[in-house]
Amino acid sequence: MPVNPAQTALWPAPHASGAVDATVHVPGSKSVTNRALVLAALAAEPGWLRRPLRSRDTLLMAGALREMGVGIEETVSSSSSVAGGPDGSGEAWRVIPSGLHGPATVDVGNAGTVMRFLPPVAALADGPIRFDGDPRSYERPLNGVIDALRTLGARIDDDGRGALPLTVHGSGALEGGPVEIDASSSSQFVSALLLSGPRFNQGVEVRHTGSTLPSMPHIRMTVDMLRSIGAQVDTPESGGEPNVWRVTPGALLGRDLTVEPDLSNAQPFLAAALVTGGTVVIPDWPARTTQPGDKLREIFTEMGGSCELTDQGLVFTGSGSIHGIEVDLGEVGELTPGIAAAAALADSPSTLRGVAHLRLHETDRLAALTKEINELGGDVTETADGLHIRPRGLHGGTFHTYDDHRMATAGAIIGLAVDGVRIENVGTTAKTLPDFPDLWTGMLGN
């Protein structure tokens, strides 16, 4: 396979010459887009998905569902002021459910949502569905989903690995019922079973047995989206047992959904205001959301900024100083790289806790952040469940990304304040944030 030049070239991270002052339109949420695609594919009638994110992860999800027989038609809204931009603005996808079937081969890339959400869907298909992906995908935990599906009646061939590649032999239905799983390594194990649960003959009762459960906001997102299309879901928050979720079997409605901006992908732009003492506006920031990225308002305010939700969107302003922070990021682990980057530029130490599970993400994010920030002159040490960051004067150098989109944006944040930072494979940001380099230079007026 030819080497993609974007994967080997070094991108000179732009250095900020002053305070930023920009409005940045952030593309739609990957987490919402991929959940919505799964639910629409399982619905009893066609539905619409408006302003979907078009990125590697979401196109892999759409492509996988098409392979299994789902119709997904892409259209451009004539009434949109942005006609079909690369981020999905102005676009709508019409999802037409049909009889799920194999044989089919699904490419998951390195997308956790695809590799975890679709095996339960494949168990409802008629025929074999093979799952394969990038080399790193073989190393990411999948045993929670595999073992649970077997308990619920599915037949899966994985040669005992508990990981990719694997084949799900769908029989057109799945019995479902109660199942215990340890989702300590990924909340996606729970979401995967809940999303398809309404289509199981007995529904599903998922009982988490582990000592920790990261990224709870993502489970709440799954539950909210299920309820919005007619599913009955009982949760610990609604008076159910702790760590138990129940989904009643039943038909799902087709609906018309507009995807929120991806608040986690807003992080580098908000961090730019924090680092430079400037102002960034993110339009369409929702007043109520289950996205973990909404926590940025609180975290970055504690680190020295201020924010206001206005008719224009979220207005975030840096004070010119960055303060260290002690924070448990267990529910919002995906924000860790950007917070670590800002913390490396702060005026006091930071301790980031509750994110041991990041060692199993696109890369070992804790080891990667430690190595890359320290090679620029930083002082970062790993702890059992996070990072301790002591700010020091940083210098330029190469910031490696390990094919991890959030490592790339973390390097860009540091580059605002440190001249000479070069980011390897900035193109990996296409996983969830298309055209990041152009958005970034546009924010800086370059």
Side-chain angles (χ1 to χ4, degrees):
M1 179 181 296
V3 175
N4 182 346
Q7 294 178 328
T8 56
L10 297 178
W11 183 63
H15 184 64
S17 57
V20 301
D21 184 5
T23 296
V24 181
H25 290 267
V26 176
S29 164
K30 176 205 75 174
S31 298
V32 172
T33 299
N34 274 358
R35 282 166 173 77
L37 281 170
V38 172
L39 292 172
L42 295 173
E45 56 193 351
W48 287 92
L49 187 57
R50 303 187 188 278
R51 296 180 63 91
L53 173 67
R54 286 182 60 88
S55 71
R56 187 186 185 211
D57 279 16
T58 61
L59 293 176
L60 284 168
M61 179 68 85
L65 291 168
R66 286 188 178 112
E67 286 291 319
M68 287 191 270
V70 177
I72 301 177
E73 300 173 351
E74 302 183 30
T75 64
V76 177
S77 170
S78 60
S79 62
S80 173
S81 59
V82 183
D87 62 353
S89 300
E91 289 196 12
W93 292 351
R94 186 169 186 253
V95 182
I96 305 166
S98 61
L100 298 166
H101 61 79
T105 298
V106 167
D107 176 12
V108 310
N110 190 20
T113 51
V114 182
M115 71 179 72
R116 292 167 183 150
F117 292 177
L118 288 189
V121 177
L124 297 167
D126 185 6
I129 311 292
R130 178 173 170 78
F131 290 81
D132 208 339
D134 297 353
R136 171 63 180 174
S137 71
Y138 294 7
E139 303 171 19
R140 299 186 67 182
L142 195 55
N143 57 300
V145 174
I146 294 170
D147 293 345
L149 286 175
R150 285 180 174 142
T151 298
L152 297 172
R155 179 184 157 212
I156 300 174
D157 291 338
D158 67 339
D159 293 331
R161 287 182 302 268
L164 292 170
L166 59 84
T167 299
V168 179
H169 295 273
S171 60
L174 194 67
E175 191 59 24
V179 65
E180 294 186 352
I181 63 170
D182 182 349
S184 300
S185 59
S186 177
S187 68
Q188 289 176 354
F189 293 173
V190 175
S191 287
L193 299 170
L194 300 184
L195 287 167
S196 292
R199 289 285 304 273
F200 300 164
N201 293 342
Q202 297 183 36
V204 71
E205 176 188 285
V206 181
R207 186 179 299 270
H208 167 59
T209 60
S211 57
T212 62
L213 185 57
S215 303
M216 272 296 298
H218 278 127
I219 296 179
R220 288 193 282 269
M221 176 187 293
T222 298
V223 170
D224 278 6
M225 292 182 70
L226 277 162
R227 287 173 172 164
S228 73
I229 58 172
Q232 181 179 328
V233 188
D234 296 324
T235 70
E237 293 90 345
S238 61
E241 295 179 58
N243 292 325
V244 176
W245 293 262
R246 294 185 180 89
V247 180
T248 302
L252 298 176
L253 306 174
R255 64 163 296 189
D256 192 322
L257 172 72
T258 299
V259 179
E260 298 173 351
D262 193 315
L263 306 188
S264 294
N265 277 339
Q267 180 182 41
F269 306 103
L270 300 180
L274 183 67
V275 168
T276 67
T279 297
V280 167
V281 179
I282 307 293
D284 303 317
W285 194 286
R288 177 192 175 275
T289 181
T290 52
Q291 288 193 61
D294 195 44
K295 191 77 171 176
L296 286 167
R297 292 193 285 169
E298 176 184 329
I299 293 170
F300 277 170
T301 294
E302 187 173 343
M303 294 185 76
S306 62
C307 65
E308 182 181 5
L309 204 53
T310 71
D311 291 342
Q312 287 71 44
L314 182 71
V315 181
F316 185 85
T317 303
S319 63
S321 298
I322 307 172
H323 309 314
I325 190 172
E326 292 196 10
V327 61
D328 187 331
L329 298 175
E331 291 203 345
V332 292
E334 65 196 51
L335 305 180
T336 302
I339 294 168
L345 304 170
D347 56 16
S348 58
S350 295
T351 300
L352 313 182
R353 302 186 304 274
V355 287
H357 61 286
L358 294 189
R359 294 186 170 98
L360 301 170
H361 275 218
E362 280 81 346
T363 188
D364 179 341
R365 284 180 172 166
L366 300 184
L369 287 164
T370 299
K371 179 178 182 293
E372 297 309 313
I373 294 174
N374 286 352
E375 289 194 352
L376 299 182
D379 184 1
V380 181
T381 55
E382 282 191 62
T383 65
D385 71 338
L387 300 172
H388 187 59
I389 303 168
R390 303 169 192 82
R392 292 173 56 178
L394 303 181
H395 54 73
T398 300
F399 195 93
H400 298 92
T401 62
Y402 310 89
D403 296 323
D404 185 334
H405 55 133
R406 300 209 191 276
M407 287 295 297
T409 53
I413 292 167
I414 293 173
L416 291 171
V418 179
D419 205 4
V421 174
R422 299 179 304 278
I423 298 175
E424 171 247 0
N425 188 13
V426 72
T428 194
T429 52
K431 186 176 193 294
T432 63
L433 187 52
D435 294 335
F436 169 74
D438 289 343
L439 286 169
W440 196 248
T441 54
M443 172 192 69
L444 295 169
N446 295 348

